[in-house]
């Protein structure tokens, strides 16, 4: 009988320690708003740990040094960055882009795990509005990011000419390596971008760069015969279809330290010294402004560019002429780029629906109930459209991200309660 009591006391002690550990893990993992799920979903999720073992997924505690190894054919979600490691994101907003930019930033804080520094370049009239809006977000979200707001500035050439090069202020992105001298690496995105999975995942591509690569972009098109650059460009461009600069990951330190080959002088030029002469030479031949200049730069320096798969910069071009982004069909869209103004007209209702649901989602609400289910309903209304015929392309990554954090919060709590 004494032995029975000793064993029981030992098991009780171990159970208490395990419960404390699991509660601590749940407390530190991911956005808290995902923990409030309806009871029916909790009971369904309780069955999923066994399914995870069958598919070969390891828990973070057991994965060890192999946690980030990609397995062929498997969807990869990178682990969150260490708490002390900041990710940096830059955006340039002028004119009427306040709401669009805030919606993009909202998608970052809803889905990301690591901490982010936002570098917002904006016209003077927008600066106080950005600051006020961001400070009004709930503290559970504002603790995940810091933000700096900068004026629109161009270090070389005529500022007004740069400002009007393409869309208002878009050329500002060319000067980020010069302005943000204390930032090592940075993700630049257009205002009309939405993240459908954690920013942490795209940030990890920096580790995939080889010794010469210093930036990453996705192709402008997947099929040369219907691509814009391959049909109409009057200047050099990267690869067979050119690249799109709406999502651009940069190692700024490498950019600042590199001498770039060019078509102007035999010796290399630094990034800053190259920009204005390059613009002067090609300004009568470029259509898409700063994006064309980037294509010219990487035409002469192809070894410097890492190319993203298309699902990391998914645009209407990938579905309006028929589906031509195989990566999105297999893995879902990771980063949605609503160029052509599709968030604000009725030409591509699937893009507009996702933008509006993200915009209208109340901070702190249940993501499945207030975002995922409304999206499903809206997409069912648009299955007759080219971009809406495969709703899962838009929903797959959002669902995986929600599930991942949901399991960390809800299943851990359910299992710990069952132990007792």
């Amino acid at each position: 009988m004494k032995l029975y009591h000793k064993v029981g006391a030992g098991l009780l002690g171990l159970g208490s320690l395990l419960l404390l550990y699991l509660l601590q893990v749940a407390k530190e993992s991911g956005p808290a708003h995902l923990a409030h799920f309806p009871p029916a979903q909790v009971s369904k999720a309780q069955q999923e740990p066994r399914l995870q073992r069958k598919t070969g997924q390891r828990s973070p505690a057991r994965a060890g040094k192999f946690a980030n190894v990609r397995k062929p054919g498997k969807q990869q979600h990178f682990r969150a960055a260490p708490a002390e490691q900041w990710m940096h994101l830059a955006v340039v907003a002028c004119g009427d882009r306040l709401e669009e930019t805030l919606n993009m930033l909202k998608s970052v804080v809803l889905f990301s795990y690591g901490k982010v520094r936002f570098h917002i370049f904006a016209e003077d009239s927008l600066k106080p509005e950005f600051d006020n809006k961001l400070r009004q977000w709930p503290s559970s979200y504002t603790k995940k990011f810091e933000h700096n707001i900068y004026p629109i500035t161009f270090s070389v050439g005529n500022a007004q000419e740069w400002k009007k090069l393409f869309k208002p202020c878009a050329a500002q992105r060319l000067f980020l390596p010069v302005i943000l001298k204390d930032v090592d690496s940075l993700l630049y995105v257009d205002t009309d971008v939405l993240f459908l999975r954690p920013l942490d995942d795209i940030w990890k591509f920096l580790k995939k760069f080889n010794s010469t690569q210093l930036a990453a972009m996705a192709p402008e098109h997947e099929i040369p015969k219907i691509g814009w650059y391959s049909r109409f460009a009057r200047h050099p461009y990267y690869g067979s279809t050119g690249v799109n600069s709406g999502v651009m990951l940069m190692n700024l330190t490498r950019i600042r330290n590199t001498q770039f080959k060019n078509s102007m002088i035999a010796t290399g030029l630094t990034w800053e010294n190259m920009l204005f002469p390059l613009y002067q030479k090609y300004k009568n031949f470029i259509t898409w402004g700063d994006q064309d200049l980037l294509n010219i730069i990487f035409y002469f320096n192809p070894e410097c560019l890492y190319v993203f798969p298309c699902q990391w910069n998914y645009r209407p071009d990938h579905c309006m002429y028929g589906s031509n982004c195989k990566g999105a069909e297999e893995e879902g869209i990771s980063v949605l780029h609503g160029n052509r103004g599709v968030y604000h007209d009725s030409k591509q209702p699937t893009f507009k629906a996702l933008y509006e649901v993200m915009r209208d989602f109340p901070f702190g609400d249940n993501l499945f109930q207030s975002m995922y289910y409304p999206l499903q309903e809206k997409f069912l209304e648009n299955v007759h459209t080219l971009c809406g015929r495969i709703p899962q392309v838009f929903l797959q990554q959002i669902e995986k991200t929600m599930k991942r954090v949901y399991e960390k919060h809800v299943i851990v709590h359910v299992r710990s309660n069952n132990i007792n």
Side-chain angles (χ1 to χ4, degrees):
M1 195 68 180
K2 290 182 179 179
L3 179 62
Y4 172 80
H5 285 299
K6 288 181 179 180
V7 171
L11 290 174
L12 182 60
L14 286 172
S16 299
L17 288 173
L18 181 60
L19 174 60
L20 289 172
Y21 171 73
L22 291 173
L23 289 173
Q24 182 64 25
V25 169
K27 181 181 178 182
E28 295 174 355
S29 303
H33 58 280
L34 289 171
H36 307 293
F37 281 74
Q41 295 204 12
V42 173
S43 60
K44 179 180 178 181
Q46 284 177 275
Q47 303 170 7
E48 294 194 17
R50 288 186 178 272
L51 295 176
Q52 286 185 341
R53 291 195 193 101
K54 288 181 181 180
T55 56
Q57 296 179 2
R58 298 186 178 194
S59 67
R62 298 180 61 190
K65 64 181 180 180
F66 300 107
N68 289 330
V69 174
R70 179 188 284 271
K71 295 183 179 181
K74 297 293 184 182
Q75 169 63 45
Q76 184 181 24
H77 274 284
F78 296 99
R79 292 192 304 175
E84 67 275 12
Q85 181 181 343
W86 287 81
M87 299 175 288
H88 294 262
L89 182 140
V91 64
V92 181
C94 290
D96 59 354
R97 299 302 181 104
L98 176 69
E99 180 194 272
E100 206 171 71
T101 307
L102 288 170
N103 210 27
M104 180 274 292
L105 299 176
K106 183 179 185 180
S107 72
V108 174
V109 299
L110 283 177
F111 294 137
S112 297
Y113 299 105
K115 292 187 176 182
V116 189
R117 284 200 173 100
F118 296 141
H119 302 273
I120 303 169
F121 291 80
E123 290 178 310
D124 291 341
S125 60
L126 294 180
K127 289 181 190 177
E129 294 190 68
F130 271 116
D131 194 54
N132 291 336
K133 293 288 186 181
L134 291 172
R135 292 183 187 280
Q136 289 173 13
W137 288 2
S139 60
S140 57
Y141 296 92
T142 57
K143 69 182 181 182
K144 295 179 63 177
F145 71 88
E146 293 179 354
H147 69 277
N148 296 312
I149 304 175
Y150 308 82
I152 302 297
T153 53
F154 305 97
S155 60
V156 295
N158 184 302
Q160 288 305 312
E161 200 170 2
W162 281 119
K163 190 172 181 179
K164 297 175 182 178
L165 179 59
F166 182 50
K167 292 181 180 179
C169 310
Q172 181 71 79
R173 85 185 81 186
L174 297 174
F175 295 86
L176 296 178
V178 180
I179 298 170
L180 301 175
K181 294 184 182 296
D182 296 328
V183 177
D184 175 68
S185 295
L186 178 80
L187 177 67
Y188 165 86
V189 295
D190 285 347
T191 60
D192 51 8
V193 158
L194 290 173
F195 289 84
L196 307 188
R197 66 189 286 180
L199 173 65
D200 313 61
D201 292 350
I202 195 171
W203 190 255
K204 290 290 185 178
F205 275 103
L206 287 166
K207 294 183 179 179
K208 293 179 176 287
F209 286 9
N210 64 26
S211 60
T212 63
Q213 291 167 339
L214 46 77
M217 288 184 278
E220 172 65 21
H221 215 286
E222 301 302 305
I223 305 173
K225 66 180 181 181
I226 59 175
W228 192 92
Y229 282 107
S230 51
R231 291 187 294 163
F232 305 117
R234 296 183 294 155
H235 58 79
Y237 56 89
Y238 178 88
S240 60
T241 60
V243 286
N244 184 281
S245 60
V247 179
M248 184 176 179
L249 186 64
M250 294 176 276
N251 185 316
L252 299 184
T253 301
R254 289 188 179 185
I255 291 175
R256 288 187 286 262
N257 294 336
T258 297
Q259 295 286 320
F260 290 89
K261 299 188 292 291
N262 60 87
S263 60
M264 296 166 289
I265 62 173
T267 58
L269 287 171
T270 64
W271 185 268
E272 184 176 19
N273 291 337
M274 175 177 53
L275 291 178
F276 190 62
L278 195 71
Y279 167 66
Q280 289 292 330
K281 179 173 181 176
Y282 290 102
K283 66 179 181 180
N284 294 324
F285 304 97
I286 59 178
T287 302
W288 308 111
D290 49 299
Q291 177 173 291
D292 289 346
L293 293 179
L294 288 167
N295 267 281
I296 295 167
I297 291 171
F298 290 108
Y299 169 84
F300 290 105
N301 301 270
E303 73 283 357
C304 293
L305 189 67
Y306 180 98
V307 180
F308 284 138
C310 52
Q311 63 265 31
W312 295 93
N313 186 351
Y314 189 93
R315 286 160 280 122
D317 305 71
H318 289 117
C319 53
M320 61 191 291
Y321 306 117
S323 181
N324 57 56
C325 179
K326 297 300 180 185
E329 292 177 15
E330 295 170 0
E331 298 185 1
I333 299 166
S334 296
V335 178
L336 189 73
H337 186 179
N339 64 343
R340 301 176 181 268
V342 293
Y343 293 150
H344 311 293
D345 59 31
S346 300
K347 294 179 181 178
Q348 299 297 339
T350 308
F351 281 76
K352 184 178 182 181
L354 209 155
Y355 176 85
E356 292 180 345
V357 169
M358 182 75 71
R359 179 196 63 195
D360 298 338
F361 172 77
F363 278 115
D365 265 25
N366 177 284
L367 273 169
F368 268 109
Q369 291 178 340
S370 300
M371 183 181 290
Y372 186 76
Y373 296 145
L375 277 175
Q376 282 185 318
E377 291 179 7
K378 285 180 177 289
F379 287 172
L380 285 174
E381 298 171 3
N382 297 304
V383 291
H384 62 284
T385 66
L386 280 173
C387 288
R389 60 186 179 152
I390 314 177
Q392 192 59 19
V393 168
F394 290 82
L395 291 170
Q396 187 173 343
Q397 284 299 334
I398 293 180
E399 182 181 8
K400 285 184 178 180
T401 300
M402 292 180 185
K403 257 185 175 179
R404 184 181 174 194
V405 182
Y406 164 68
E407 288 167 357
K408 285 184 178 180
H409 282 268
V410 178
I411 295 177
V412 163
H413 284 295
V414 169
R415 293 178 69 186
S416 62
N417 288 335
N418 288 340
I419 290 173
N420 293 321

